[in-house]
Amino acid sequence: MAKHIIFLGAPGAGKGTQAQRLSQYLHLPHVSTGDMLRASVQSGSEIGRRAAAVMDSGALVSDDIIMDIVAERLTLEDALAGVIFDGFPRTVHQANALDALLERGGSQISAVLHIALDDEEIVERLSGRRVCSGCGAIYHVLYHPAQTSGKCDICGADVVQREDDHPDVIRKRLAVYEAETAPLVAYYHDRPAYHRIDGHGETDVVFARIVEAVRDKD
């Protein structure tokens, strides 16, 4: 049976980084809603053209189109053994639709990995992030500072804080997550596939916890 894995977690909890690592570890494709949308549009498929028309109009892509794109993605050869979903599903409605889609194909979610991290630590992580205005290199004032304050080690351009990384903006993003996406935790919580992963600590330490969780499903 295909091994489909879902990562849950607030912005800044590290789910993107860990999903990529697990993708390499399990040799499963790492897919996000954005990646699937872009690939579908570029493919020129019927659903891709529908999605492109909606995005060109400035409207949000509907759940129906998103689910058609997910269904399309799961038919590709590299997804036959399973995929690692990052940032999908975003709502309980999408989660219900995904369950129904997988059930029709004779599979199910094998692991739901919820990376849990305190809001204030997320604010510290994200608000400390700095980006080179020239080459895009990423730094952190605590964990990976530039050698010369305010200047990129690679190209020498100014290192700046993005608007999205200001503490007040981060807290607003966390509030949106709590209202819209956190109900997914309740949706999956009582399933044997659900694992709460402590997101505190070094990246390698958190990854070891994830590997231990998915090992239960091998």
Side-chain angles (χ1 to χ4, degrees):
M1 183 182 291
K3 182 188 287 288
H4 298 299
I5 296 172
I6 291 172
F7 271 87
L8 299 178
K15 62 182 181 297
T17 298
Q18 297 294 354
Q20 288 176 340
R21 289 190 64 171
L22 191 62
S23 168
Q24 296 170 350
Y25 180 79
L26 295 178
H27 306 291
L28 296 176
H30 167 222
V31 299
S32 68
T33 304
D35 289 342
M36 287 187 287
L37 272 170
R38 285 187 289 273
S40 185
V41 169
Q42 289 170 4
S43 75
S45 67
E46 179 188 350
I47 186 63
R49 292 194 297 273
R50 285 169 54 201
V54 172
M55 290 188 290
D56 288 345
S57 73
L60 292 175
V61 178
S62 69
D63 279 351
D64 286 346
I65 292 178
I66 292 292
M67 292 311 305
D68 284 345
I69 287 173
V70 172
E72 181 181 66
R73 180 67 182 86
L74 293 180
T75 64
L76 298 183
E77 187 174 352
D78 70 336
L80 297 182
V83 301
I84 295 174
F85 288 111
D86 173 12
F88 175 86
R90 291 185 181 277
T91 64
V92 170
H93 182 267
Q94 288 182 353
N96 269 310
L98 179 60
D99 280 341
L101 172 64
L102 295 179
E103 187 175 341
R104 289 195 296 272
S107 62
Q108 61 184 354
I109 299 299
S110 62
V112 178
L113 305 172
H114 170 212
I115 301 182
L117 196 63
D118 298 337
D119 281 2
E120 286 312 304
E121 179 147 348
I122 289 174
V123 171
E124 180 182 279
R125 284 187 183 185
L126 294 184
S127 64
R129 185 164 56 187
R130 299 293 184 269
V131 180
C132 174
S133 57
C135 68
I138 297 177
Y139 298 90
H140 193 282
V141 294
L142 295 178
Y143 310 124
H144 178 46
Q147 293 177 7
T148 301
S149 180
K151 296 294 180 182
C152 178
D153 298 345
I154 300 169
C155 71
D158 289 341
V159 172
V160 299
Q161 184 180 41
R162 300 185 310 186
E163 286 296 322
D164 278 358
D165 291 338
H166 285 280
D168 56 337
V169 177
I170 296 166
R171 289 191 176 91
K172 288 177 182 176
R173 289 168 60 196
L174 291 172
V176 170
Y177 166 79
E178 198 64 35
E180 296 181 357
T181 311
L184 283 170
V185 174
Y187 180 82
Y188 288 117
H189 187 271
D190 293 333
R191 299 189 186 191
Y194 174 83
H195 298 272
R196 185 183 186 278
I197 307 294
D198 182 359
H200 297 84
E202 296 294 327
T203 303
D204 289 348
V205 173
V206 177
F207 185 65
R209 295 171 186 148
I210 289 169
V211 169
E212 186 63 28
V214 299
R215 194 172 282 145
D216 295 341
K217 297 298 174 183
D218 287 343

